[in-house]
Amino acid sequence: MSNKNFYVTTPIYYPSGNLHIGHAYTTVLADVIARYKKENGYNVFFLTGSDEHGQKIETKAKEANLDPKKYVDGMIVGFKELWKKLDINFDRFIRTTDEDHVEGVKKIFTKLLKQDDIYLGEYVGKYCTSCEEFLTKEQMDENFRHSVCKNIAKDLSEETYMLRVSKYHKFLVKLFETNFLIPENRKSEMLNNFINNNLEDLSVTRVTFDWGIKINESDKHIIYVWLDALSNYITALGWGSDNDKLLKQFWSKDSEVLQIVGKEITRFHSIYWPVMLEGLGLKMPDKLLSHGWILVKNEKMSKSLGNVVDPNYIINTYGSDAVRFYISYNLPTENDGSYSDELMIESFNTNLANNIGNLISRVSNMIIKYSDGLLNKVDISKTELFKESQVTIKNFGILMDEYKYSKAIETVLGLGNLANKLIEDSKPWDLDKQGKKKELNLLLSQLQYAIVTINFLLKPILVKSYETMMIQMGVDGSQLSLSSLVKNEISFSKIKEKLIIFKRLAI
Ligand code: MSP
């Protein structure tokens, strides 16, 4: 077993409605990086799941005339089906109703209470029922509308246990001096609006509804969704149970921990979660990647705004690889992005059909035509495209290790463009006519290597097409490793078929 460990998490999503492509965005990013790290020799644990407690779910279940557990059981089926369709290969799907999670959360609460990191107090403030969040002034307009979901927040005052966040001001300031939160531009909002703006304690229990985890210390207090939800990242690994082998392996100094979230929940993950972890004596995540939103006509795509795009529809229409590619390439994490069918088709045609698909079919056709499907082995180490391929492998790795998916893919597409250009410039059909067999063989060999490189680097994204892309290059993709690619130790077999990969979509 390798000694490199990597733990990646997504938020656990509310089963208060169906998932949309905003949720698919985060989950695909996590899946891609998990596959990439595995390819690079890491032991990987990839966690996703569902956040099933709280008032909103309770209300939804009532509306559906179901017991809340029955209601969420039904919703989860759709979650899992969607992830399967999108080739999301998680190691655990945690549900906050899972018994081990419930036990773990109770223990976390008790430990923090005993240490006086949690105390009994009262909360008075504006509360957004739809987002299950007490709001600060900055999060509402003058009519107390929540800026995220546009619902009107209501006054709420109740006895509640509080997490002593204020005590951790210095700790948080120090934490924010490191670059654990990326991209950089999210930091100042957290510092200015929360950490350095009267950092308040956080209410962590409710007495006004039932659907949640009861604390051991009192009958009436239910753990508020965020303490319950955030804990999932460690209960999933066995925190507080007899079997905490995974915790020791994946939440340790010998493991790289990446947590991916959408920007609206950055506050919970960059402030309250680190406070909880510090209270529990655990390390901080190495990176919290907070990505932008998918917008529809400049508004956040969200269930409450009713402007969602169903991922099932786009997967059925364009295929899961196309969706995974669009998310990873066309939605750079530092900005907000958009989705529309037009944008999807344009990206697919430009990048997958015209650049990569076309390159594969041109080169494989020429190998079949000029060399009966198999090229003569020749030293390509001095050729332009071989050198560029090596640079691309290196740059792709550097960018992926910084979680810059879009830029990493851009380098691969750049190699594709270069290969296409080399074909135009060196006109293999003329070399054939002139009987320049050696030159032609060398040219096609470097093109073949560049394409194998492109295919291999895009493997974490183009999960379904990968093997076909490789077959079309005469390579058994399942047998190829990164090190054999780098060393150019690839065994080629005769290319026989003419498979069409990424057929252009009609506009
Ligand atoms: N249950 C909480 C998270 C608890 S994590 C300990 C929650 N759930 S949610 O169902 O509302 O999902 C929020 C997440 O969905 C965001 O963090 C983001 O990953 C994703 N997105 C939801 N809408 C989105 C967009 N319009 N654009 C991009 N991502 C979005 O919050």
Side-chain angles (χ1 to χ4, degrees):
M1 193 166 80
S2 152
N3 55 3
K4 300 193 290 184
N5 300 304
F6 181 73
Y7 182 37
V8 59
T9 67
T10 72
I12 45 173
Y13 306 110
Y14 292 130
S16 51
N18 294 329
L19 296 171
H20 59 72
I21 57 169
H23 307 107
Y25 181 11
T26 324
T27 314
V28 165
L29 292 183
D31 184 74
V32 167
I33 203 76
R35 288 174 188 267
Y36 164 78
K37 289 284 182 183
K38 264 185 213 158
E39 211 62 72
N40 280 266
Y42 283 77
N43 309 307
V44 173
F45 199 89
F46 166 19
L47 179 72
T48 190
S50 53
D51 189 357
E52 305 188 352
H53 293 126
Q55 198 165 10
K56 196 167 169 191
I57 307 274
E58 193 177 57
T59 312
K60 282 266 170 187
K62 253 189 213 132
E63 281 167 18
N65 236 338
L66 287 172
D67 152 82
K69 180 66 169 51
K70 278 257 149 53
Y71 169 78
V72 289
D73 282 350
M75 295 302 295
I76 291 326
V77 175
F79 279 30
K80 290 190 174 163
E81 272 170 11
L82 174 63
W83 298 149
K84 192 158 177 228
K85 258 176 137 169
L86 253 185
D87 293 303
I88 304 297
N89 193 13
F90 53 77
D91 294 289
R92 176 164 177 189
F93 185 100
I94 190 170
R95 303 179 55 177
T96 50
T97 49
D98 286 344
E99 217 171 286
D100 60 341
H101 172 77
V102 171
E103 285 315 306
V105 170
K106 288 181 182 205
K107 283 189 189 158
I108 289 173
F109 184 90
T110 301
K111 178 167 166 53
L112 295 175
L113 184 68
K114 276 198 183 138
Q115 293 172 193
D116 196 37
D117 276 321
I118 287 179
Y119 63 94
L120 188 59
E122 186 174 62
Y123 194 91
V124 186
K126 288 282 180 192
Y127 185 75
C128 174
T129 319
S130 160
C131 300
E132 316 233 20
E133 185 181 345
F134 274 107
L135 303 179
T136 61
K137 293 201 290 301
E138 289 77 14
Q139 293 172 287
M140 296 175 286
D141 66 12
E142 61 285 1
N143 298 319
F144 304 110
R145 269 178 210 281
H146 187 193
S147 59
V148 169
C149 69
K150 311 284 186 244
N151 288 313
I152 297 179
K154 59 180 193 185
D155 290 311
L156 201 70
S157 128
E158 64 183 44
E159 180 185 292
T160 176
Y161 282 92
M162 305 287 281
L163 179 67
R164 220 179 270 287
V165 182
S166 51
K167 181 179 125 188
Y168 287 89
H169 179 254
K170 252 204 196 129
F171 160 78
L172 288 168
V173 170
K174 253 196 129 163
L175 178 63
F176 272 70
E177 280 165 9
T178 69
N179 48 6
F180 97 109
L181 173 60
I182 50 171
E184 195 54 38
N185 57 1
R186 306 256 183 265
K187 270 193 197 173
S188 53
E189 190 203 338
M190 292 300 121
L191 282 165
N192 298 340
N193 293 356
F194 303 105
I195 298 173
N196 291 328
N197 180 23
N198 184 24
L199 183 64
E200 288 174 10
D201 293 344
L202 177 76
S203 156
V204 291
T205 63
R206 291 284 178 278
V207 291
T208 44
F209 60 88
D210 279 332
W211 177 236
I213 301 176
K214 277 214 164 69
I215 60 171
N216 288 329
E217 291 75 8
S218 141
D219 255 358
K220 59 178 190 198
H221 283 266
I222 302 277
I223 295 179
Y224 169 53
V225 285
W226 278 101
L227 189 97
D228 171 359
L230 289 164
S231 303
N232 92 86
Y233 301 128
I234 51 174
T235 57
L237 300 179
W239 188 92
S241 79
D242 297 337
N243 185 2
D244 63 356
K245 229 177 82 209
L246 285 173
L247 187 85
K248 292 204 171 96
Q249 184 181 357
F250 288 103
W251 202 285
S252 72
K253 63 175 182 12
D254 300 324
S255 175
E256 189 182 332
V257 177
L258 169 68
Q259 305 209 262
I260 312 183
V261 297
K263 66 179 182 181
E264 78 278 29
I265 56 174
T266 304
R267 176 177 148 217
F268 296 96
H269 286 81
S270 69
I271 299 178
Y272 309 126
W273 176 227
V275 166
M276 286 170 63
L277 286 169
E278 183 69 3
L280 296 171
L282 293 172
K283 80 167 211 169
M284 295 303 122
D286 296 280
K287 284 278 180 265
L288 175 63
L289 172 60
S290 162
H291 64 69
W293 284 340
I294 301 183
L295 305 177
V296 180
K297 299 198 179 95
N298 281 328
E299 294 265 31
K300 182 191 178 215
M301 181 184 294
S302 79
K303 279 179 274 195
S304 15
L305 296 179
N307 58 358
V308 299
V309 175
D310 176 4
N312 286 294
Y313 154 75
I314 52 170
I315 299 166
N316 294 344
T317 313
Y318 306 109
S320 59
D321 280 357
V323 178
R324 293 171 65 94
F325 181 86
Y326 187 88
I327 285 175
S328 312
Y329 179 57
N330 293 89
L331 300 173
T333 54
E334 58 275 26
N335 304 317
D336 291 340
S338 306
Y339 176 83
S340 69
D341 285 322
E342 290 74 21
L343 290 170
M344 170 65 133
I345 293 172
E346 189 190 314
S347 169
F348 183 94
N349 283 346
T350 310
N351 303 306
L352 295 179
N354 293 0
N355 185 342
I356 296 170
N358 192 31
L359 181 65
I360 293 176
S361 94
R362 283 171 100 183
V363 173
S364 60
N365 283 346
M366 288 192 287
I367 296 176
I368 294 173
K369 186 167 169 199
Y370 301 136
S371 196
D372 198 23
L374 191 64
L375 298 168
N376 293 328
K377 256 224 153 336
V378 46
D379 177 14
I380 56 167
S381 62
K382 304 271 176 329
T383 61
E384 180 195 349
L385 222 45
F386 177 79
K387 288 184 196 156
E388 275 305 324
S389 301
Q390 295 275 317
V391 172
T392 306
I393 294 171
K394 197 162 152 238
N395 289 342
F396 181 83
I398 293 172
L399 291 162
M400 284 300 278
D401 286 337
E402 292 173 1
Y403 315 123
K404 294 181 178 154
Y405 299 74
S406 181
K407 289 215 166 72
I409 295 169
E410 199 171 281
T411 61
V412 181
L413 295 173
L415 182 61
N417 285 327
L418 214 67
N420 275 311
K421 186 164 177 301
L422 187 70
I423 300 176
E424 297 307 319
D425 292 349
S426 39
K427 302 189 177 49
W429 41 93
D430 283 351
L431 296 178
D432 175 58
K433 269 191 218 139
Q434 295 156 6
K436 295 185 173 165
K437 286 236 171 294
K438 263 196 170 159
E439 279 96 327
L440 182 59
N441 189 69
L442 187 66
L443 175 65
L444 292 178
S445 298
Q446 54 173 312
L447 283 164
Q448 190 176 28
Y449 182 79
I451 297 174
V452 171
T453 303
I454 292 170
N455 296 352
F456 188 84
L457 295 180
L458 295 182
K459 181 180 173 189
I461 299 146
L462 304 176
V463 175
K464 282 206 171 69
S465 322
Y466 170 72
E467 297 224 352
T468 324
M469 291 160 79
M470 283 300 203
I471 290 174
Q472 200 51 32
M473 279 297 113
V475 173
D476 178 355
S478 66
Q479 295 303 312
L480 187 64
S481 69
L482 179 62
S483 72
S484 43
L485 174 70
V486 172
K487 290 188 225 142
N488 191 12
E489 290 168 355
I490 306 167
S491 60
F492 291 100
S493 54
K494 192 167 166 165
I495 305 170
K496 295 188 200 109
E497 296 164 87
K498 292 188 180 175
L499 306 167
I500 295 182
I501 294 156
F502 306 128
K503 191 166 176 278
R504 255 187 89 81
L505 297 168
I507 299 172

